[in-house]
């Protein structure tokens, strides 16, 4: 058998010598289906010839990675026009994956977009777009650019919607007229011969059918040219079958042996089906637009203009002209146009769109402000630090869009069913046609055609295609409104199974910065001791020193400039304040400086501090220890409440910390945590997560904020990063809590459960609808009604005389099925997250 090999070239990182080349060469040669390998050390690339029926680019990538090297990967997002059902998704993904350099292709019906991963330097954007257009679809503009581009896309969408409404209304009116004409109820129609009446109905139907139905027929023809079938194929064949039969019956009645009995025509069936389909698509479009309302709301928060200072003048300019370093002016009630740092003035800013917190944040000189947040009171100047795609708002929008365009694992089964759905329905409809032509009541051909049309029209792959992505779109949008950023749809599916929450202590359960917790003064005045200590420590840059200075400032104390300041790294500081000798340091430094007896006099005060996980700092005045300041990384105010909520929800909560066992035990007891892991080094965190996963916990979520949390976040089933933490942690985690409030963990899990519940409902409805109604349209009730002596009169409008579902009713059911799935997804917008 001849193998038609594909050729692909890709870059490889990490090769340092000739032995690396040999290692990569052997790794690629070992992959089944490889017929040729060439690895070039100078250009750091590899070229392979492979059988695409045996292996795939992703297998080649894994082979290189398993050998210890890396193939850089890039992602492309392309907006697509012309997709109408899940079969379109399957066809388009197949076309994109046929490109040798494509690792993965995920097409989303709800967002009308494709996300494609390729090797860097592999398939270009132009190649990908060519594959899409060759498959019979169109490329639509991206909406990431300037406001003018977004407005253009919005106007185009509005124009399409208006056209859809017009076509639906006019075809509906025409369908009603044709139906009345078919029943001979139009004024003056009864005076015409049957043949003339049918010709008039033919003319009306022809004009309206091919005007209103043109998008459907054009899409079906495009699919046919590319050897594909989709939802439009079913509608086109169904309506044209009814129209074609009626046309032959009008102009060539002798083709059918009717023994002189006038033939019935079904022009009204064809035109009303088109009207109902278009009306359903209009409702579906409106509902789908609402699923992305959260993204639209976020994007609309960015003002179109900004007021900047140029010399002594204030100038309003388009937002896209603002550059980093510009000085901008913000007045009360205005949205902040770009990210920056306040240089003058103070105010309160509503950052709910960013963090989900409704309480305004105080802003002063040096405070950061973010695009889209609203200035409540006060005016201020700020220096632009990030503009355009570099702003936090743009990053949030990008993350949400990527999540909305991704697919959870649960979608794979629906995609598989959709890929075979339309051909299967065509096969069933054809079988049913021949069955009732042979066995049906007279006129058998008429009923066979009507049943054929009903089966084609009632089948609905659209509901299958929309069941998951619409719920993901609404769920991720709802999360963004609450300050919960979800990176991928898979995180929503996994999070609802979490049964164990592991919380890193520092920066997650605590504030992440040291603060004064206790001031112990057996003899001295507390404020005076604090004032002297802070005056000396103001010259030090140590975090503990800064905690003392900050606490004194909060108390409103007036600090003095120290004299004779000396810093001993890792031990303490000495100096003179207002002619008083002040020494500040740890017990070792004080023992060395003042002697053991001086320290022992206050040792009874230090022990409780150490047991509580606090650092005791000794203060000596004029050679005598006069007080102790306790410093600790304080617990976040909401931590205890958040942990109680998680435990009440039946989750096991574990604290992870590098502190000594005794300190960890005290903090865990204060928080109400019964299980903790102490003395864990940063490089051991991932291993501890793995142990929990193996020891009976089905799914573990890790919550952290620092660089050293990144491996553990990646190891966990779900990594949750605190938005106030490092970029590394946020990039590694699947979920980010923008506000840093740990109560967001519970909200994220609630959102996941609600989203998965909606997805399950949608998929059940989509499958149940087709399983129940396709047999109904195929005439399964004919034998039942035959035994009953005929269809009850009250059901004639639905099943006719013999029990065959009316094609028009099939169209109505099909139109409503997609709308019901999208509407069900929209319920997520109103779920309560607390």
């Amino acid at each position: 058998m001849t193998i038609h090999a594909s050729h692909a070239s890709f870059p490889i990182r990490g090769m340092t010598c000739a032995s690396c080349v040999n290692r990569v060469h052997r790794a690629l040669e070992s992959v089944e289906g490889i017929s040729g390998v060439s690895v070039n050390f100078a250009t750091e690339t590899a070229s392979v010839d492979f059988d695409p029926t045996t292996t795939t680019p992703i297998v080649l990538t894994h082979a290189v990675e398993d050998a210890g090297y890396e193939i850089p990967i890039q992602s492309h997002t392309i907006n697509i026009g012309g997709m109408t059902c899940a079969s379109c998704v399957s066809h388009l993904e197949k076309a994109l994956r046929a490109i040798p350099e494509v690792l993965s292709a995920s097409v989303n019906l709800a967002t009308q977009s494709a996300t494609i991963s390729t090797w860097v330097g592999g398939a270009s954007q132009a190649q990908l777009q060519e594959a899409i257009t060759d498959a019979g679809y169109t490329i639509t503009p991206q909406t990431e650019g300037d406001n003018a581009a977004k407005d253009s896309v919005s106007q185009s969408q509005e124009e399409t919607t208006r056209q859809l409404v017009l076509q639906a209304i006019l075809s509906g009116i025409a369908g009603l007229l044709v139906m009345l004409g078919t029943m001979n109820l139009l004024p003056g129609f009864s005076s015409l011969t049957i043949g003339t009446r049918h010709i008039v109905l033919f003319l009306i139907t022809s004009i309206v059918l091919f005007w209103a139905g043109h998008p459907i027929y054009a899409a079906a023809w495009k699919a046919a040219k590319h050897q594909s079938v989709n939802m439009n194929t079913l509608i086109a064949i169904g309506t044209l079958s009814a129209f074609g039969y009626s046309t032959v019956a009008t102009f060539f009645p002798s083709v059918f042996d009717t023994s002189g009995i006038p033939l019935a025509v079904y022009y009204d069936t064809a035109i009303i089906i088109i009207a109902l389909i278009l009306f359903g698509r209009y409702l579906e479009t409106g509902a789908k637009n609402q699923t992305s309302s959260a993204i639209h709301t976020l994007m609309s928060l960015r003002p179109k203009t900004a007021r900047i200072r140029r010399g002594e003048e204030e100038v309003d300019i388009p937002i896209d002209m603002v550059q980093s370093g510009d000085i901008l002016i913000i007045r009360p009630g205005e949205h902040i146009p770009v990210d920056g740092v306040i240089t003058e003035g103070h105010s309160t800013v509503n950052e709910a769109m960013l963090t989900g917190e409704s309480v305004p944040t105080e802003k002063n000189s040096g405070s950061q402000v973010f695009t889209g947040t609203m200035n409540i009171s006060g005016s201020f100047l700020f220096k632009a630090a990030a503009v355009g795609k570099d702003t936090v708002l743009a990053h949030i929008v990008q993350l949400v869009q990527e999540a909305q365009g991704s697919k959870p694992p649960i979608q794979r089964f629906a995609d598989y069913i959709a890929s075979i759905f339309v051909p299967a329905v065509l096969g069933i409809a054809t079988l049913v046609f021949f069955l009732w032509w042979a066995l049906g009541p007279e006129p058998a051909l008429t009923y066979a055609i009507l049943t054929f049309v009903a089966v084609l029209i009632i089948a609905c792959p659209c509901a299958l295609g929309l069941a998951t992505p619409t719920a993901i779109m609404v769920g991720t949008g709802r999360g963004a409104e609450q300050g919960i950023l979800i990176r991928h749809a898979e995180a929503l599916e996994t999070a609802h199974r979490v049964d164990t929450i592991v919380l890193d202590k520092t920066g997650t359960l605590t504030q992440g910065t040291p603060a004064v917790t206790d001031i112990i003064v057996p003899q001295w005045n507390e404020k005076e001791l604090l004032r002297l200590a802070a005056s000396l420590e103001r010259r030090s840059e140590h975090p503990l020193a800064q905690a003392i200075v900050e606490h004194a400032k909060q108390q409103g104390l007036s600090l003095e400039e120290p004299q004779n300041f000396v810093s001993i790294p890792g031990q303490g500081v000495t100096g003179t304040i207002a002619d008083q000798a002040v020494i500040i340091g740890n017990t070792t430094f004080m023992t060395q400086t003042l002697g053991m007896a001086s320290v022992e006099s206050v040792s009874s005060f230090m022990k409780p501090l150490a047991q509580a996980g606090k650092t005791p700092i000794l203060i000596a005045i004029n050679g005598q220890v006069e007080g102790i300041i306790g410093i600790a990384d304080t617990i976040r105010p909401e931590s205890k409440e958040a942990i109680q909520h998680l435990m009440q929800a039946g989750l096991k909560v574990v604290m992870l910390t590098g502190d000594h066992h005794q300190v960890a035990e005290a903090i865990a007891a204060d928080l109400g945590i019964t299980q903790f892991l102490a003395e864990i080094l940063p490089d051991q965190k991932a291993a501890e997560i793995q142990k929990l996963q193996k020891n009976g916990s089905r799914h573990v979520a890790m919550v952290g904020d620092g660089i050293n949390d990144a491996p553990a976040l990646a190891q966990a089933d779900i990594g949750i990063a605190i938005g106030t933490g490092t970029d590394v942690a946020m990039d590694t985690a699947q979920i980010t809590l923008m506000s840093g409030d740990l109560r967001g963990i519970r909200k994220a899990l609630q959102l996941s459960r609600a989203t998965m519940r909606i997805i399950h409902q949608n998929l059940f409805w989509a499958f149940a609808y087709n399983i129940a109604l396709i047999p109904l349209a195929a005439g399964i009730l004919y034998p039942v009604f035959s035994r009953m002596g005929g269809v009850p009169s009250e059901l004639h409008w639905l099943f006719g005389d013999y029990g065959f579902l009316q094609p028009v009713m099939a169209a109505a059911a099909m139109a409503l099925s997609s709308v019901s799935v999208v509407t069900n997804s929209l319920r997520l917008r109103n779920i309560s997250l607390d």
Side-chain angles (χ1 to χ4, degrees):
M1 183 179 68
T2 302
I3 295 176
H4 299 285
S6 291
H7 180 80
S9 297
F10 46 87
I12 297 177
R13 290 178 182 164
M15 295 192 297
T16 57
C17 61
S19 63
C20 294
V21 173
N22 292 330
R23 184 176 176 83
V24 172
H25 194 282
R26 288 196 303 271
L28 290 170
E29 267 192 332
S30 67
V31 176
E32 185 181 0
I34 294 293
S35 57
V37 177
S38 174
V39 182
N40 190 311
F41 177 57
T43 60
E44 294 186 296
T45 60
S47 298
V48 295
D49 295 309
F50 64 97
D51 177 9
T53 64
T54 306
T55 192
T56 62
I58 196 69
V59 173
L60 300 176
T61 302
H62 289 158
V64 173
E65 289 174 346
D66 291 343
Y69 303 93
E70 178 190 358
I71 301 178
I73 294 169
Q74 61 186 352
S75 180
H76 306 262
T77 300
I78 302 174
N79 290 344
I80 302 167
M83 293 194 297
T84 57
C85 66
S87 295
C88 298
V89 171
S90 175
H91 175 59
L92 197 46
E93 286 182 343
K94 185 177 179 181
L96 288 166
R97 288 169 185 160
I99 301 173
E101 295 87 357
V102 168
L103 301 174
S104 65
S106 176
V107 178
N108 191 301
L109 180 63
T111 60
Q112 295 281 296
S113 65
T115 302
I116 307 114
S117 295
T118 67
W119 293 318
V120 170
S124 65
Q125 188 90 347
Q127 284 178 283
L128 298 174
Q129 291 181 353
E130 184 180 0
I132 292 169
T133 54
D134 285 348
Y137 303 93
T138 59
I139 307 299
T140 57
Q142 300 284 351
T143 57
E144 300 175 335
D146 57 25
N147 288 311
K150 294 172 188 173
D151 291 342
S152 175
V153 171
S154 178
Q155 289 172 4
S156 175
Q157 290 173 340
E158 289 176 4
E159 180 59 33
T160 302
T161 303
R162 281 197 295 268
Q163 181 73 6
L164 202 56
V165 172
L166 179 64
Q167 290 174 327
I169 292 174
L170 292 183
S171 58
I173 293 171
L176 180 61
L177 292 175
V178 171
M179 184 176 68
L180 293 174
T182 302
M183 299 168 66
N184 202 20
L185 296 177
L186 283 179
F189 234 54
S190 57
S191 61
L192 303 175
T193 64
I194 290 178
T196 304
R197 289 203 298 265
H198 287 179
I199 291 173
V200 173
L201 297 177
F202 165 79
L203 292 173
I204 297 173
T205 302
S206 298
I207 295 170
V208 178
L209 187 68
F210 292 103
W211 168 72
H214 177 264
I216 294 171
Y217 299 134
W221 176 244
K222 266 188 181 180
K225 285 197 299 183
H226 293 90
Q227 300 179 339
S228 173
V229 290
N230 55 34
M231 185 68 216
N232 293 304
T233 306
L234 300 180
I235 298 169
I237 293 175
T239 54
L240 290 178
S241 295
F243 178 75
Y245 168 80
S246 301
T247 300
V248 173
T250 298
F251 295 101
F252 309 101
S254 59
V255 171
F256 305 102
D257 182 14
T258 61
S259 302
I261 301 173
L263 284 168
V265 292
Y266 297 94
Y267 292 118
D268 56 336
T269 297
I271 199 169
I272 290 175
I273 285 173
I274 289 293
L276 288 171
I277 297 297
L278 292 174
F279 182 64
R281 287 189 178 179
Y282 164 69
L283 294 177
E284 181 185 317
T285 300
K288 281 199 294 185
N289 287 341
Q290 291 181 58
T291 64
S292 57
S293 61
I295 281 290
H296 295 152
T297 300
L298 285 174
M299 294 174 74
S300 68
L301 292 174
R302 182 182 182 229
K304 294 185 178 182
T305 61
R307 186 176 299 107
I308 69 170
R309 175 168 287 181
R310 292 275 172 85
E312 297 299 320
E313 295 183 353
E314 296 180 6
V315 182
D316 288 340
I317 63 172
I319 186 68
D320 297 308
M321 293 180 64
V322 177
Q323 297 180 355
S324 182
D326 283 343
I327 300 298
L328 290 86
I329 302 154
I330 299 296
R331 296 192 174 103
E334 293 181 340
H335 281 98
I336 294 167
V338 296
D339 293 357
V341 178
I342 294 179
T343 58
E344 182 182 323
H346 65 274
S347 182
T348 55
V349 177
N350 184 350
E351 296 182 333
M353 51 69 59
L354 187 70
T355 65
E357 296 293 333
S358 58
V359 179
T361 306
E362 292 288 335
K363 299 289 182 179
N364 298 293
S365 181
S367 299
Q368 286 185 302
V369 290
F370 303 98
T371 307
T373 55
M374 176 177 278
N375 182 34
I376 302 298
S377 61
S379 297
F380 59 86
L381 304 181
F382 77 98
K383 185 177 182 179
V387 300
K389 293 181 181 179
D390 297 326
T391 64
V392 171
L393 176 63
H395 186 55
I396 291 173
V397 169
Q398 181 186 359
L399 284 177
V400 175
Q401 286 178 330
E402 288 175 356
Q404 291 182 341
S406 62
K407 289 185 181 182
I410 196 173
Q411 178 69 13
R412 292 170 190 159
F413 179 65
D415 285 347
Y416 169 72
I417 296 297
S419 68
I420 62 174
F421 184 85
V422 174
V425 169
L426 284 169
I428 292 170
T430 303
L431 182 64
V432 164
F433 170 79
F434 286 110
L435 174 69
W436 294 122
W437 192 11
L439 304 176
E442 292 298 333
L445 180 59
T446 299
Y447 284 112
I449 290 174
L450 292 179
T451 307
F452 174 76
V453 172
V455 170
L456 292 178
I457 297 302
I458 205 166
C460 188
C462 300
L464 280 174
L466 293 170
T468 300
T470 52
I472 293 296
M473 286 180 70
V474 182
T476 52
R478 177 66 172 145
E481 291 174 347
Q482 295 290 314
I484 302 167
L485 295 188
I486 297 160
R487 296 184 67 87
H488 196 280
E490 187 173 352
L492 273 178
E493 180 171 345
T494 305
H496 86 287
R497 300 192 187 101
V498 165
D499 59 13
T500 301
I501 305 288
V502 178
L503 297 157
D504 182 62
K505 189 208 80 173
T506 305
T508 303
L509 290 169
T510 65
Q511 299 284 8
T513 54
V516 173
T517 58
D518 302 86
I519 299 178
I520 301 171
V521 283
Q523 304 293 333
W524 265 65
N525 177 274
E526 179 180 315
K527 287 193 174 182
E528 180 61 15
L529 182 88
L530 176 62
R531 189 185 72 83
L532 292 174
S535 295
L536 183 60
E537 293 282 28
R538 70 189 299 188
R539 293 283 296 274
S540 172
E541 295 181 357
H542 194 282
L544 299 184
Q546 293 303 310
I548 294 172
V549 174
E550 183 62 30
H551 190 69
K553 288 181 178 179
Q554 292 173 359
Q555 299 292 320
L557 301 179
S558 178
L559 306 185
E560 297 184 35
E561 188 65 28
Q563 304 295 321
N564 307 318
F565 177 83
V566 178
S567 174
I568 298 88
Q571 297 189 56
V573 295
T574 64
T576 304
I577 306 292
D579 297 327
Q580 298 194 79
V582 181
I583 304 173
I584 304 174
N586 55 30
T587 54
T588 302
F589 181 54
M590 284 297 184
T591 301
Q592 292 174 352
T593 306
L594 301 177
M596 180 68 73
S598 182
V599 175
E600 286 181 346
S601 65
V602 292
S603 60
S604 61
F605 298 109
M606 291 190 292
K607 189 174 181 181
L609 293 177
Q611 288 176 339
K614 301 173 183 179
T615 301
I617 302 298
L618 280 65
I619 315 296
I621 310 295
N622 298 324
Q624 181 66 38
V625 176
E626 299 291 355
I628 303 171
I629 294 179
I631 298 178
D633 183 5
T634 56
I635 293 172
R636 291 176 181 267
E638 76 281 358
S639 291
K640 197 166 187 177
E641 180 187 350
I643 290 166
Q644 288 176 346
H645 286 164
L646 293 172
M647 289 181 169
Q648 288 169 1
L651 297 165
K652 180 165 70 174
V653 178
V654 180
M655 184 182 76
L656 189 65
T657 178
D659 290 337
H660 293 297
H661 186 278
Q662 188 177 21
V663 174
E665 186 176 28
I667 295 172
D670 186 30
L671 290 168
I673 297 174
T674 57
Q675 183 176 350
F676 60 90
L677 301 170
E679 301 179 35
I680 305 299
L681 298 176
D683 59 354
Q684 297 173 335
K685 291 182 179 181
E688 293 298 326
I689 296 294
Q690 195 170 29
K691 286 180 186 177
L692 287 171
Q693 289 170 321
K694 290 180 178 179
N695 293 338
S697 293
R698 296 189 306 277
H699 292 277
V700 176
M702 168 71 190
V703 187
D705 78 317
I707 291 175
N708 58 29
D709 294 326
L713 291 170
Q715 173 62 44
D717 296 285
I718 287 292
I720 302 177
I722 301 298
T724 54
T726 65
D727 290 340
V728 174
M730 292 171 67
D731 288 342
T732 306
Q734 293 101 318
I735 297 174
T736 298
L737 307 179
M738 292 301 294
S739 68
D741 190 330
L742 293 181
R743 287 170 293 195
I745 300 171
R746 185 187 182 193
K747 291 182 180 180
L749 298 182
Q750 286 176 331
L751 180 64
S752 170
R753 294 188 184 105
T755 303
M756 291 310 301
R757 185 166 58 249
I758 292 293
I759 289 175
H760 288 145
Q761 290 170 359
N762 285 349
L763 288 174
F764 171 80
W765 165 249
F767 281 112
Y769 165 86
N770 285 291
I771 290 170
L773 295 190
I774 288 178
L776 203 66
I780 197 171
L781 293 181
Y782 170 68
V784 176
F785 286 126
S786 294
R787 292 194 193 96
M788 293 171 56
V791 177
S793 57
E794 59 271 18
L795 293 179
H796 271 219
W797 63 276
L798 186 60
F799 294 110
D801 295 327
Y802 294 101
F804 296 106
L805 184 68
Q806 301 279 18
V808 169
M809 295 299 105
M814 193 277 282
L816 290 174
S817 65
S818 297
V819 176
S820 64
V821 164
V822 179
T823 304
N824 190 45
S825 296
L826 287 173
R827 294 196 300 122
L828 282 169
R829 294 196 306 174
N830 301 317
I831 63 165
S832 175
L833 299 176
D834 50 32

